[in-house]
Amino acid sequence: MIYLDNAATTPVRREALEAAWPWLSSDFGNPSSKHELGLRAHDALEKSRERVAKFFNARSSEITFTSGGTEGANLAIIGLALANPRGKHLISAKTEHEAVLAAIDFLERQHGFEVSWLPVDGEGRINPADLSESLRADSTLVSLMYANNEIGIVHPIAELAEITHQVGALFHTDAVQAVGWLDCNIKTLGIDALSFSGHKVGAPKGSGAVFIKARFAVEPLLHGGGQEFERRSGTENVAWAVALSTALDLLENSTAEFKRVEKLSKKFIDDVLTKVPMAKLSGPTHNRLANIIGFTFAGLNGETILLELERRGIICSSGSACAAGSDEPSHVLIALGYDPDLAQTAVRFSLGHFTTEADLDQAVAALVDSVT
Ligand code: PLP
């Protein structure tokens, strides 16, 4: 099997699980307990928090462990918007992940927020001038993803955050697909909040964290014992925090890895476009994540291509796994202006840290075989 669906999830790194095991077995204490086992668990949790904070160049007190990207985005968006009521105006884009779209929808429906949706061009780009124009004196929060999970476009986050700050609004980025591939130094990016997920980077599903600047108030989603600096109540998942910090430590130097995968990806795109006449790359050719490659295949059926590829041992997907079960065309491609029929032909290949050139050569051969 050749696994090319790494944007959906990744295998857990052995080191991450091994590091987690003692905190599930011998050292199983509750980090809030005052006895020896509890103190040890507390120490492990805080050391993990420090390692995660170091990865993002943040302070430990700015890292809240969560169950993943969805919870992190919800906490950042809803938590910041409700606790910092400059006004009730939000800005985002329709190409965001459902985690962001649905959190914004909740604020609109239940709390009377008004939303401005930034337009995107046919390749998914946001024009920073459109953000400047949409910002108002009552804008509370802007949420724009670092890199798109279906077409791989990378948005100029530092520039967008700077524009946002000119009116004093806050900036959150969903960095679920960016971590491990792009520079996630929050100081360079100049952002107020960043959410990410463990299971995209070799940590278990159900792990993740969100960075939210310490000086901002956050209205929690979960109410209870006040753990995680009053930002997320509930007994902390020490083992998954340890696994997450270990997985982040294992991420190779992002720049070198980005270059390696970029080379593989360029060849893969060229090969597919040359050998499959109806294939068209979705999203831009530049400013894109190297590991996420979406194509449309005009006149064919995306689901059939996936099945044919799977029969030949190639695992990939039609787009966001998080909208699984739905046979609606991708909301991202629709936002880019694609005809729904063409959007139905989409196939996404997402490479991982273990993908090799030989894997991709086999995938191209299987694709040619599947569509001819
Ligand atoms: N944001 C993006 C861009 C994603 O790709 C995903 C998952 O695919 C999420 C958020 C949700 O993350 P999680 O599965 O950890 O809840």
Side-chain angles (χ1 to χ4, degrees), residues 38 59 89 126 137 140 174 179 194 204 219 221 224 227 231 263-264 270 274 291 314 367:
R59 283 190 276 156
H89 179 232
I126 287 168
T140 315
D174 168 355
V179 171
L194 174 151
E219 182 63 41
L221 303 176
Q227 288 91 339
R231 288 179 166 184
K263 225 171 120 198
L264 294 186
D270 284 350
T274 316
N291 61 313
I314 312 294
L367 182 64

PDB file of all heavy atoms in Angstrom, residues 38 59 89 126 137 140 174 179 194 204 219 221 224 227 231 263-264 270 274 291 314 367:
ATOM      1  N   GLY A  38       0.734  12.281  41.167  1.00  0.00           N
ATOM      2  CA  GLY A  38       0.144  13.485  40.587  1.00  0.00           C
ATOM      3  C   GLY A  38       1.217  14.512  40.250  1.00  0.00           C
ATOM      4  O   GLY A  38       1.200  15.118  39.174  1.00  0.00           O
ATOM      5  N   ARG A  59       5.339  31.366  24.776  1.00  0.00           N
ATOM      6  CA  ARG A  59       5.538  31.101  26.201  1.00  0.00           C
ATOM      7  C   ARG A  59       4.658  29.937  26.614  1.00  0.00           C
ATOM      8  O   ARG A  59       3.568  29.747  26.046  1.00  0.00           O
ATOM      9  CB  ARG A  59       5.157  32.344  27.011  1.00  0.00           C
ATOM     10  CG  ARG A  59       6.238  33.403  26.938  1.00  0.00           C
ATOM     11  CD  ARG A  59       5.959  34.508  27.916  1.00  0.00           C
ATOM     12  NE  ARG A  59       5.032  35.478  27.354  1.00  0.00           N
ATOM     13  CZ  ARG A  59       4.257  36.280  28.086  1.00  0.00           C
ATOM     14  NH1 ARG A  59       4.281  36.204  29.392  1.00  0.00           N
ATOM     15  NH2 ARG A  59       3.459  37.147  27.498  1.00  0.00           N
ATOM     16  N   HIS A  89     -17.887  41.886  14.812  1.00  0.00           N
ATOM     17  CA  HIS A  89     -17.611  41.717  13.396  1.00  0.00           C
ATOM     18  C   HIS A  89     -16.414  40.776  13.206  1.00  0.00           C
ATOM     19  O   HIS A  89     -15.360  40.985  13.814  1.00  0.00           O
ATOM     20  CB  HIS A  89     -17.310  43.091  12.756  1.00  0.00           C
ATOM     21  CG  HIS A  89     -16.990  43.003  11.298  1.00  0.00           C
ATOM     22  ND1 HIS A  89     -15.866  43.555  10.740  1.00  0.00           N
ATOM     23  CD2 HIS A  89     -17.666  42.407  10.280  1.00  0.00           C
ATOM     24  CE1 HIS A  89     -15.856  43.315   9.434  1.00  0.00           C
ATOM     25  NE2 HIS A  89     -16.940  42.624   9.134  1.00  0.00           N
ATOM     26  N   ILE A 126      -5.957  35.147  -1.526  1.00  0.00           N
ATOM     27  CA  ILE A 126      -6.653  36.261  -0.882  1.00  0.00           C
ATOM     28  C   ILE A 126      -5.835  37.509  -1.176  1.00  0.00           C
ATOM     29  O   ILE A 126      -4.602  37.502  -1.040  1.00  0.00           O
ATOM     30  CB  ILE A 126      -6.734  36.025   0.639  1.00  0.00           C
ATOM     31  CG1 ILE A 126      -7.751  34.920   0.928  1.00  0.00           C
ATOM     32  CG2 ILE A 126      -7.091  37.304   1.388  1.00  0.00           C
ATOM     33  CD1 ILE A 126      -7.706  34.405   2.329  1.00  0.00           C
ATOM     34  N   ALA A 137     -13.976  49.459  12.556  1.00  0.00           N
ATOM     35  CA  ALA A 137     -13.640  49.815  13.943  1.00  0.00           C
ATOM     36  C   ALA A 137     -14.183  48.762  14.915  1.00  0.00           C
ATOM     37  O   ALA A 137     -13.644  48.576  16.009  1.00  0.00           O
ATOM     38  CB  ALA A 137     -14.218  51.181  14.272  1.00  0.00           C
ATOM     39  N   THR A 140     -13.603  42.315  15.438  1.00  0.00           N
ATOM     40  CA  THR A 140     -13.063  41.662  16.633  1.00  0.00           C
ATOM     41  C   THR A 140     -11.925  40.722  16.264  1.00  0.00           C
ATOM     42  O   THR A 140     -10.863  40.733  16.871  1.00  0.00           O
ATOM     43  CB  THR A 140     -14.173  40.818  17.315  1.00  0.00           C
ATOM     44  OG1 THR A 140     -15.350  41.599  17.362  1.00  0.00           O
ATOM     45  CG2 THR A 140     -13.765  40.383  18.701  1.00  0.00           C
ATOM     46  N   ASP A 174      -5.471  28.959  11.415  1.00  0.00           N
ATOM     47  CA  ASP A 174      -5.581  27.507  11.498  1.00  0.00           C
ATOM     48  C   ASP A 174      -4.338  26.975  10.787  1.00  0.00           C
ATOM     49  O   ASP A 174      -4.223  27.061   9.562  1.00  0.00           O
ATOM     50  CB  ASP A 174      -6.873  27.084  10.781  1.00  0.00           C
ATOM     51  CG  ASP A 174      -6.960  25.582  10.534  1.00  0.00           C
ATOM     52  OD1 ASP A 174      -6.002  24.855  10.821  1.00  0.00           O
ATOM     53  OD2 ASP A 174      -8.016  25.143  10.020  1.00  0.00           O
ATOM     54  N   VAL A 179       1.948  23.024  10.084  1.00  0.00           N
ATOM     55  CA  VAL A 179       2.949  22.564  11.062  1.00  0.00           C
ATOM     56  C   VAL A 179       3.738  21.399  10.462  1.00  0.00           C
ATOM     57  O   VAL A 179       3.178  20.453   9.937  1.00  0.00           O
ATOM     58  CB  VAL A 179       2.261  22.151  12.390  1.00  0.00           C
ATOM     59  CG1 VAL A 179       3.244  21.465  13.325  1.00  0.00           C
ATOM     60  CG2 VAL A 179       1.663  23.372  13.063  1.00  0.00           C
ATOM     61  N   LEU A 194      -2.996  30.540  17.188  1.00  0.00           N
ATOM     62  CA  LEU A 194      -2.696  29.531  16.156  1.00  0.00           C
ATOM     63  C   LEU A 194      -3.173  28.184  16.664  1.00  0.00           C
ATOM     64  O   LEU A 194      -2.861  27.798  17.794  1.00  0.00           O
ATOM     65  CB  LEU A 194      -1.181  29.514  15.909  1.00  0.00           C
ATOM     66  CG  LEU A 194      -0.601  28.440  14.976  1.00  0.00           C
ATOM     67  CD1 LEU A 194       0.678  28.971  14.299  1.00  0.00           C
ATOM     68  CD2 LEU A 194      -0.272  27.142  15.693  1.00  0.00           C
ATOM     69  N   PRO A 204      -0.920  11.010  18.275  1.00  0.00           N
ATOM     70  CA  PRO A 204      -2.215  10.311  18.168  1.00  0.00           C
ATOM     71  C   PRO A 204      -3.390  11.239  17.826  1.00  0.00           C
ATOM     72  O   PRO A 204      -3.341  12.439  18.108  1.00  0.00           O
ATOM     73  CB  PRO A 204      -2.430   9.742  19.580  1.00  0.00           C
ATOM     74  CG  PRO A 204      -1.105   9.804  20.243  1.00  0.00           C
ATOM     75  CD  PRO A 204      -0.357  10.938  19.628  1.00  0.00           C
ATOM     76  N   GLU A 219     -12.883  33.107  26.599  1.00  0.00           N
ATOM     77  CA  GLU A 219     -14.092  32.501  27.183  1.00  0.00           C
ATOM     78  C   GLU A 219     -13.991  30.998  26.918  1.00  0.00           C
ATOM     79  O   GLU A 219     -13.980  30.567  25.769  1.00  0.00           O
ATOM     80  CB  GLU A 219     -15.336  33.092  26.499  1.00  0.00           C
ATOM     81  CG  GLU A 219     -16.661  32.592  27.027  1.00  0.00           C
ATOM     82  CD  GLU A 219     -16.891  32.948  28.492  1.00  0.00           C
ATOM     83  OE1 GLU A 219     -16.555  34.072  28.896  1.00  0.00           O
ATOM     84  OE2 GLU A 219     -17.399  32.071  29.230  1.00  0.00           O
ATOM     85  N   LEU A 221     -14.637  26.989  26.320  1.00  0.00           N
ATOM     86  CA  LEU A 221     -15.733  26.195  25.758  1.00  0.00           C
ATOM     87  C   LEU A 221     -16.193  25.183  26.805  1.00  0.00           C
ATOM     88  O   LEU A 221     -17.353  24.778  26.816  1.00  0.00           O
ATOM     89  CB  LEU A 221     -15.267  25.424  24.517  1.00  0.00           C
ATOM     90  CG  LEU A 221     -14.662  26.230  23.358  1.00  0.00           C
ATOM     91  CD1 LEU A 221     -14.164  25.290  22.274  1.00  0.00           C
ATOM     92  CD2 LEU A 221     -15.689  27.196  22.796  1.00  0.00           C
ATOM     93  N   GLY A 224     -15.412  23.919  34.238  1.00  0.00           N
ATOM     94  CA  GLY A 224     -15.184  22.887  35.246  1.00  0.00           C
ATOM     95  C   GLY A 224     -14.091  23.300  36.205  1.00  0.00           C
ATOM     96  O   GLY A 224     -14.121  24.417  36.739  1.00  0.00           O
ATOM     97  N   GLN A 227      -8.643  23.834  34.740  1.00  0.00           N
ATOM     98  CA  GLN A 227      -7.310  23.419  34.274  1.00  0.00           C
ATOM     99  C   GLN A 227      -6.895  24.262  33.061  1.00  0.00           C
ATOM    100  O   GLN A 227      -7.703  24.998  32.494  1.00  0.00           O
ATOM    101  CB  GLN A 227      -7.320  21.928  33.865  1.00  0.00           C
ATOM    102  CG  GLN A 227      -7.427  20.958  35.040  1.00  0.00           C
ATOM    103  CD  GLN A 227      -8.854  20.594  35.384  1.00  0.00           C
ATOM    104  OE1 GLN A 227      -9.802  21.296  35.040  1.00  0.00           O
ATOM    105  NE2 GLN A 227      -9.024  19.486  36.096  1.00  0.00           N
ATOM    106  N   ARG A 231      -8.511  27.959  30.735  1.00  0.00           N
ATOM    107  CA  ARG A 231      -8.949  28.053  29.341  1.00  0.00           C
ATOM    108  C   ARG A 231      -9.623  26.767  28.862  1.00  0.00           C
ATOM    109  O   ARG A 231     -10.320  26.771  27.859  1.00  0.00           O
ATOM    110  CB  ARG A 231      -7.751  28.372  28.432  1.00  0.00           C
ATOM    111  CG  ARG A 231      -7.281  29.808  28.607  1.00  0.00           C
ATOM    112  CD  ARG A 231      -6.088  30.151  27.747  1.00  0.00           C
ATOM    113  NE  ARG A 231      -5.898  31.604  27.721  1.00  0.00           N
ATOM    114  CZ  ARG A 231      -4.994  32.222  26.992  1.00  0.00           C
ATOM    115  NH1 ARG A 231      -4.173  31.533  26.225  1.00  0.00           N
ATOM    116  NH2 ARG A 231      -4.905  33.532  27.013  1.00  0.00           N
ATOM    117  N   LYS A 263      10.683  18.925  -4.281  1.00  0.00           N
ATOM    118  CA  LYS A 263      11.283  18.320  -5.475  1.00  0.00           C
ATOM    119  C   LYS A 263      10.429  17.142  -5.965  1.00  0.00           C
ATOM    120  O   LYS A 263      10.102  17.030  -7.149  1.00  0.00           O
ATOM    121  CB  LYS A 263      12.696  17.819  -5.118  1.00  0.00           C
ATOM    122  CG  LYS A 263      13.733  18.186  -6.153  1.00  0.00           C
ATOM    123  CD  LYS A 263      15.111  17.872  -5.674  1.00  0.00           C
ATOM    124  CE  LYS A 263      15.747  16.868  -6.626  1.00  0.00           C
ATOM    125  NZ  LYS A 263      16.893  16.189  -6.064  1.00  0.00           N
ATOM    126  N   LEU A 264      10.046  16.303  -5.012  1.00  0.00           N
ATOM    127  CA  LEU A 264       9.208  15.141  -5.357  1.00  0.00           C
ATOM    128  C   LEU A 264       7.883  15.605  -5.959  1.00  0.00           C
ATOM    129  O   LEU A 264       7.389  15.055  -6.942  1.00  0.00           O
ATOM    130  CB  LEU A 264       8.874  14.318  -4.108  1.00  0.00           C
ATOM    131  CG  LEU A 264       9.981  13.588  -3.370  1.00  0.00           C
ATOM    132  CD1 LEU A 264       9.377  12.727  -2.269  1.00  0.00           C
ATOM    133  CD2 LEU A 264      10.747  12.705  -4.343  1.00  0.00           C
ATOM    134  N   ASP A 270       4.358  17.372 -12.694  1.00  0.00           N
ATOM    135  CA  ASP A 270       4.733  17.337 -14.121  1.00  0.00           C
ATOM    136  C   ASP A 270       4.332  16.016 -14.753  1.00  0.00           C
ATOM    137  O   ASP A 270       3.754  15.979 -15.842  1.00  0.00           O
ATOM    138  CB  ASP A 270       6.253  17.502 -14.277  1.00  0.00           C
ATOM    139  CG  ASP A 270       6.668  18.941 -14.073  1.00  0.00           C
ATOM    140  OD1 ASP A 270       5.761  19.806 -14.007  1.00  0.00           O
ATOM    141  OD2 ASP A 270       7.879  19.199 -13.949  1.00  0.00           O
ATOM    142  N   THR A 274       1.590  15.641 -17.676  1.00  0.00           N
ATOM    143  CA  THR A 274       2.046  15.171 -18.988  1.00  0.00           C
ATOM    144  C   THR A 274       1.327  13.895 -19.417  1.00  0.00           C
ATOM    145  O   THR A 274       0.944  13.739 -20.566  1.00  0.00           O
ATOM    146  CB  THR A 274       3.577  14.868 -18.942  1.00  0.00           C
ATOM    147  OG1 THR A 274       4.210  15.912 -18.248  1.00  0.00           O
ATOM    148  CG2 THR A 274       4.176  14.713 -20.315  1.00  0.00           C
ATOM    149  N   ASN A 291       3.357  19.371  -0.136  1.00  0.00           N
ATOM    150  CA  ASN A 291       2.846  18.017   0.134  1.00  0.00           C
ATOM    151  C   ASN A 291       1.371  17.823  -0.205  1.00  0.00           C
ATOM    152  O   ASN A 291       0.881  16.710  -0.165  1.00  0.00           O
ATOM    153  CB  ASN A 291       3.083  17.644   1.605  1.00  0.00           C
ATOM    154  CG  ASN A 291       2.372  18.574   2.557  1.00  0.00           C
ATOM    155  OD1 ASN A 291       2.435  19.785   2.407  1.00  0.00           O
ATOM    156  ND2 ASN A 291       1.677  18.019   3.525  1.00  0.00           N
ATOM    157  N   ILE A 314      -3.000   2.368  -4.125  1.00  0.00           N
ATOM    158  CA  ILE A 314      -2.687   3.778  -3.853  1.00  0.00           C
ATOM    159  C   ILE A 314      -3.831   4.389  -3.048  1.00  0.00           C
ATOM    160  O   ILE A 314      -4.975   4.417  -3.495  1.00  0.00           O
ATOM    161  CB  ILE A 314      -2.519   4.592  -5.160  1.00  0.00           C
ATOM    162  CG1 ILE A 314      -1.597   3.879  -6.147  1.00  0.00           C
ATOM    163  CG2 ILE A 314      -2.060   6.021  -4.867  1.00  0.00           C
ATOM    164  CD1 ILE A 314      -0.164   3.740  -5.713  1.00  0.00           C
ATOM    165  N   LEU A 367      -2.329   5.786 -11.706  1.00  0.00           N
ATOM    166  CA  LEU A 367      -3.309   6.793 -12.145  1.00  0.00           C
ATOM    167  C   LEU A 367      -3.527   6.689 -13.656  1.00  0.00           C
ATOM    168  O   LEU A 367      -4.672   6.664 -14.134  1.00  0.00           O
ATOM    169  CB  LEU A 367      -2.800   8.184 -11.766  1.00  0.00           C
ATOM    170  CG  LEU A 367      -3.708   9.354 -12.108  1.00  0.00           C
ATOM    171  CD1 LEU A 367      -5.022   9.266 -11.335  1.00  0.00           C
ATOM    172  CD2 LEU A 367      -3.018  10.691 -11.758  1.00  0.00           C
TER     173      LEU A 367
END
